[in-house]
């Protein structure tokens, strides 16, 4: 009888030990992309234009393993994959649009991750334009103000003085160079730029370059 009680006691201990070995699984985070639709505007066929976006992890860390588009005219960069985004933080990326022909183009950009939803998408669009007959190449000095994120470029028809200015860049220009390829032969123009900071605050116009004459032919 003592031997049988000893076996029953050991069996009970083994059952308790097996039950205590289970470990809770960590919850998966969520991945979001901003903006959900990204336009790269007009780009001359054979050239390239870029725009930026960001990925944000919430709830838990998220590891992004791949990024791809379904149109070879669009490519994604700026991320060294795989990359782990901590919960509550973001990682930026760039999209390059390189049209080879004229016309509207679109694509779906898909990020593959270990998030709650394994695939996160963004729609892309842009328009390839024919090579222009004439272009105006602009350059300016970088702003010395803090936290400058980029520049806007404005153009007006010159009529002594300049007419009403309109913004001609479809996305914020991050360099101090810009080529205006949508000019009309035989027309004179005025140009100015503004600086935009990280809070999306825009400066006044820079010095204005006036009476830029486009040849008639």
């Amino acid at each position: 009888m003592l031997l049988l009680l000893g076996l029953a006691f050991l069996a009970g201990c083994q059952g308790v030990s097996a039950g205590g070995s289970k470990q809770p699984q960590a919850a998966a985070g969520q991945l979001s992309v901003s903006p959900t639709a990204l336009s790269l505007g007009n780009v001359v066929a054979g050239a390239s234009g870029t725009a930026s976006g960001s990925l944000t992890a919430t709830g838990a860390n998220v590891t992004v393993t791949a990024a791809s588009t379904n149109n070879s005219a669009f490519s994604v960069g700026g991320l060294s994959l795989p990359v782990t985004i901590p919960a509550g933080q973001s990682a930026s990326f760039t999209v390059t649009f390189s049209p080879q022909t004229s016309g509207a183009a679109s694509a779906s950009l898909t990020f593959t991750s270990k998030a709650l939803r394994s695939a996160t998408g963004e729609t892309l669009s842009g328009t390839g334009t024919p090579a222009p007959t004439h272009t105006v190449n602009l350059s300016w000095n970088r702003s010395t103000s803090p936290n400058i994120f980029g520049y806007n470029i404005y153009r007006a028809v010159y009529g002594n003085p300049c007419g009403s200015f309109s913004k001609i860049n479809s996305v914020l220009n991050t360099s101090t160079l810009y080529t205006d390829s949508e000019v009309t032969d035989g027309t004179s123009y005025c140009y100015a730029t503004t600086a935009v900071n990280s809070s999306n605050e825009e400066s006044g116009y820079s010095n204005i370059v006036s009476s830029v004459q486009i040849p008639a032919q």
Side-chain angles (χ1 to χ4, degrees):
M1 291 180 64
L2 291 176
L3 181 61
L4 291 176
L5 288 174
L7 290 174
F9 177 74
L10 290 173
C13 291
Q14 289 171 352
V16 172
S17 175
S21 65
K22 295 181 179 179
Q23 298 294 328
Q25 294 184 346
Q30 296 188 29
L31 183 70
S32 61
V33 59
S34 178
T36 55
L38 185 62
S39 172
L40 286 96
N42 297 328
V43 177
V44 175
S48 296
T50 61
S52 60
S54 64
L55 293 168
T56 302
T58 54
N61 298 351
V62 173
T63 298
V64 181
T65 56
S68 62
T69 71
N70 60 356
N71 185 335
S72 60
F74 298 88
S75 59
V76 60
L79 288 172
S80 181
L81 299 174
V83 60
T84 298
I85 305 173
Q89 297 189 25
S90 300
S92 61
F93 63 89
T94 59
V95 175
T96 301
F97 176 43
S98 304
Q100 299 303 307
T101 59
S102 300
S106 61
S108 295
L109 169 58
T110 302
F111 293 97
T112 304
S113 70
K114 296 180 180 180
L116 192 61
R117 292 184 305 158
S118 61
T120 303
E122 178 182 55
T123 58
L124 308 173
S125 62
T127 302
T129 59
T133 304
H134 298 291
T135 60
V136 176
N137 296 317
L138 303 170
S139 65
W140 56 92
N141 294 328
R142 189 172 298 277
S143 173
T144 58
S145 299
N147 302 319
I148 295 302
F149 194 67
Y151 303 89
N152 286 324
I153 300 92
Y154 290 84
R155 181 184 65 200
V157 174
Y158 177 72
N160 194 23
C162 300
S164 177
F165 281 93
S166 298
K167 188 174 72 171
I168 59 176
N169 54 306
S170 57
V171 295
L172 197 63
N173 197 77
T174 55
S175 74
T176 57
L177 301 172
Y178 185 83
T179 298
D180 183 10
S181 57
E182 298 183 2
V183 293
T184 302
D185 294 351
T187 303
S188 294
Y189 294 100
C190 303
Y191 291 93
T193 61
T194 62
V196 180
N197 65 18
S198 56
S199 298
N200 204 34
E201 297 171 328
E202 187 172 14
S203 72
Y205 291 150
S206 65
N207 60 302
I208 295 173
V209 178
S210 61
S211 192
V212 178
Q213 177 67 46
I214 308 302
Q217 294 293 334

